Amino acid sequence: MNNKSNIPHIKIPILFAVTVILLLIAPANAELDVVLSKLSPQPVEPGQDLMLSLTLANGNAQANNVILAINPDPSIILKNENDRVINEGTIISYGTVAENYLLHIDQRAFSGVYEIEFMVSWMSDNQLHEINKTFKVMVQGVPQLAISNITIDSGSISPKDMFNITFLLSNAGSGIAREVEISAETSGLPFVPAGADTKIIKILNPDESIELDFRLLVKDKTVISSYSIPINMDYKDESGKNQSSRSFVGVNILGNAELSIGNIKTEPQNPVKGDPVTMTLRIENSGNGDARSAKVNLNIPFEGTKTAFLGKIEPDDDAPGVFTFNAAESGDIPYTATIEFEDDLGKHTVKEVLSLNVLDTNKSGIIIPVIAVILAAGIFVFYFSRRKNKKQ
């Protein structure tokens, strides 16, 4: 019984002794490891700085000639080039060394995962040892939408005109824009959408562009002026946050004058050959813009004043053109009235072919005696009828 009870007490010292012997005969080995202690901020935006801290941790033997080198992705810039290769010298067994790196993310970097590689070399037991350690950096870009290459399909736009606005929508940022809504805001403006006033784009990647267009109608009676049409851009960034921006498209509404002859009045009303005649042409503007430098020329085979300067005629207004001449010939005299004016669209000429009836002198001389005979006959019949009634 006593022999059996002594066996466990004998085994414990033996095991301990064996362990000590193995530790003494096992070769000491320096094993370095690179431990990441800080990486901030994460995720990081393009154009921002990034702080990285690490620790070199040694094993159970001294490490000599320790060299630490960093090799970041090209989009990650090391702000201090002296930190690219660091000579750490000697690290004692179970010793540690801390290093801090200040990095910068390239402004042009897109969203994604980038790598920073560390390489460590050292001497231990007269042998060269090396390890590589890689850490990942998450870059989260910021989308930035803008419009460019704006064109309007009509060279000139006036009230009641239809026109197209075409532009290029681009993502000039570094992040993906999602659920993009582009709208032309016409509220409070003299424009009416002739189609969909909102365009939907599911995803717009960095450096991606897409052509969009909006068709609009100019309201009637629109004030002639310049207008700015807001183009609203609503979207979500990579974190799901709602973002918005706005650009403007300038549109000039031009006045379009329309001149014509409203009526013609002559004095005398039925001119006779040889009469001095005063003719008045009333020129009306039925357009939506001012007519400037308006004038009327008469091409009629009579001597007299045949040009009238009217100046400015506003929309829904008119102006008289007065001409004086001698009716030197009788008959239906053809003539042309030429109206010249300017508006926002340029210079214009309108011609109207007309005729003036001039009575002959002889024919007009017969009319009066004939009228006198008719009147005398009427008086005679009236007088004779009365006398006859009295006698009865």
Side-chain angles (χ1 to χ4, degrees), residues 219-389:
K219 294 179 181 179
D220 193 12
K221 305 299 181 183
T222 293
V223 176
I224 306 304
S225 183
S226 296
Y227 297 89
S228 291
I229 302 175
I231 304 297
N232 295 327
M233 294 167 278
D234 299 301
Y235 55 96
K236 293 183 184 296
D237 62 18
E238 295 197 355
S239 63
K241 185 178 179 181
N242 291 326
Q243 302 289 347
S244 63
S245 58
R246 172 181 283 190
S247 293
F248 293 88
V249 174
V251 177
N252 292 323
I253 304 302
L254 304 178
N256 180 18
E258 296 181 10
L259 297 190
S260 60
I261 299 174
N263 69 33
I264 302 173
K265 180 180 178 181
T266 58
E267 184 62 38
Q269 185 174 359
N270 297 302
V272 177
K273 179 181 177 180
D275 283 349
V277 177
T278 299
M279 178 182 289
T280 303
L281 273 61
R282 190 154 292 276
I283 308 301
E284 298 178 341
N285 184 358
S286 59
N288 48 52
D290 293 340
R292 299 181 294 272
S293 303
K295 68 177 181 179
V296 184
N297 293 307
L298 284 189
N299 183 12
I300 193 168
F302 298 145
E303 295 294 328
T305 303
K306 294 186 284 186
T307 299
F309 295 93
L310 309 179
K312 177 181 176 181
I313 307 177
E314 296 180 351
D316 297 326
D317 200 0
D318 58 33
V322 181
F323 308 90
T324 58
F325 49 83
N326 290 317
E329 299 179 14
S330 61
D332 287 330
I333 308 300
Y335 67 97
T336 302
T338 302
I339 307 170
E340 299 178 8
F341 64 95
E342 295 181 14
D343 61 13
D344 293 341
L345 305 181
K347 295 183 178 181
H348 307 275
T349 300
V350 178
K351 291 186 177 182
E352 294 199 33
V353 178
L354 306 164
S355 67
L356 173 66
N357 182 256
V358 179
L359 300 176
D360 186 74
T361 305
N362 294 331
K363 292 180 180 179
S364 63
I366 295 174
I367 291 174
I368 296 175
V370 169
I371 293 174
V373 170
I374 293 173
L375 289 174
I379 294 170
F380 175 78
V381 170
F382 176 76
Y383 178 75
F384 180 78
S385 297
R386 288 189 63 184
R387 288 192 62 185
K388 185 176 181 181
N389 291 333

